[in-house]
Amino acid sequence: MTHTLLHQILDYANRADPYPIYEELRKSPVHHDTDGPYVISTYYEIRSLLHDPRISSDPRNQTAGGADPLAESSSEESALPPSFLRLDPPEHDRLRRMTNRHFGPPHSPRRVDAMRPELRDIVTGLIDGIADPGGIDLVEEVSYPFPVTVICRLLGVPREDEARFHTWADTLAASLDPDPDADPAERGKGAHEARMELGMYLAGLIEERRKNPGDDMLSQLATAKGEDGPMTTMELLSTAALLLIAGHETTVNLITNGMLTLLRNPDVLQRLRAEPRLAVPIVEELLRFEPPVQLLPGRTTLADVEVRGVTIPKGSTLWLILASGNRDPQRFENPDRFDPDRPDIQHLGLGSGVHSCFGAPLARLEAQLALSELARRLENPRLLDDPPPYRQNAVLRGPRHLRIACDGIRP
């Protein structure tokens, strides 16, 4: 792959519509520069690699020859140890299993569904609070505060601390996708400082929960004594940081991308207004059509791996372009069409394999509730900017702002 094409993936100018680049990539499913990552862009190859035990998520397995412009710097990694997102089995399995005891089946099977009334109240309150129907920034007024409020309540982060958390989250999310023209040392320093401050904040919160546990998830993680034993303090810090950041970043983009797509497809928006249950297939199609996580960088081969006749050497870095796989015509008919009636939506929008999205049930429910309530309550909604301004992030792709207007807010 040429440097030009690699930089096109990262280039801010292509955030509004990266899909022509992905189409070009799929013409040769495995792309590689001599000093860059191997880029995989087709559905079946991506899915296979996500399930391949020879593919590592641990950055410590990368070699100097597998240079990755999206890799975390060593200064960032030193602030907190890797979360289970960046570990391989069996370490990954133990930490994910311990975390899941307090979040989902089999030990907490109704935790997410039991939150439905509270989630509906939160999103209703945010829509009630829209000050000017003629000039709504959906990101600032709904898409961001909704999942942030939810994850903070779930974990037990005090509401008055959400503003500090917002700053840390923005810095760490931006660090996933460095600007090729920016000073990497300065960018790494900012991410390192944010990780340190977040780690110190969480350490204090964890200590408080150990002394005075509540019914929040952080208290349960801090005091757990299950079959795997307790997490160490550092494991708990990394897990809490992962849940805080990953627990809202993707959902912000899913809701925002979703409303943008619905406004561009007013027939589907009208159907959703009349049939709230349509939110379920709409969100699944959104996860295929406009996934909030566009690519997975930083995967590493633990052995030589052959993909479509190309041998990828041991120690190489992979980029798996999920959004390209989701538009692969070899897998999906009319892939560039948004179609919630699509009979088969086995998308890659939430990953697959052992690292499939931990918070998928919560993200799905949040998006379903937010989009159905927005469709029901906004009278004659319309875009004020199309395309909207996008965030400087090729990994977590979504609008920085989504300015819309409507004629009024229904009760």
Side-chain angles (χ1 to χ4, degrees), residues 18-40:
Y19 296 100
I21 299 169
Y22 300 157
E23 183 178 2
E24 188 68 23
L25 282 170
R26 288 194 300 270
K27 292 178 180 177
S28 180
V30 182
H31 288 271
H32 178 57
D33 281 334
T34 55
D35 58 349
Y38 285 80
V39 180
I40 314 298

Side-chain angles (χ1 to χ4, degrees), residues 175-191:
S175 74
L176 285 173
D177 185 41
D179 183 344
D181 299 321
D183 183 345
E186 281 299 311
R187 202 173 185 90
K189 180 182 177 183

Side-chain angles (χ1 to χ4, degrees), residues 285-299:
E285 174 68 345
L286 283 169
L287 285 163
R288 182 199 70 83
F289 185 76
E290 286 280 24
V293 179
Q294 294 273 295
L295 67 97
L296 297 178
R299 300 294 170 100

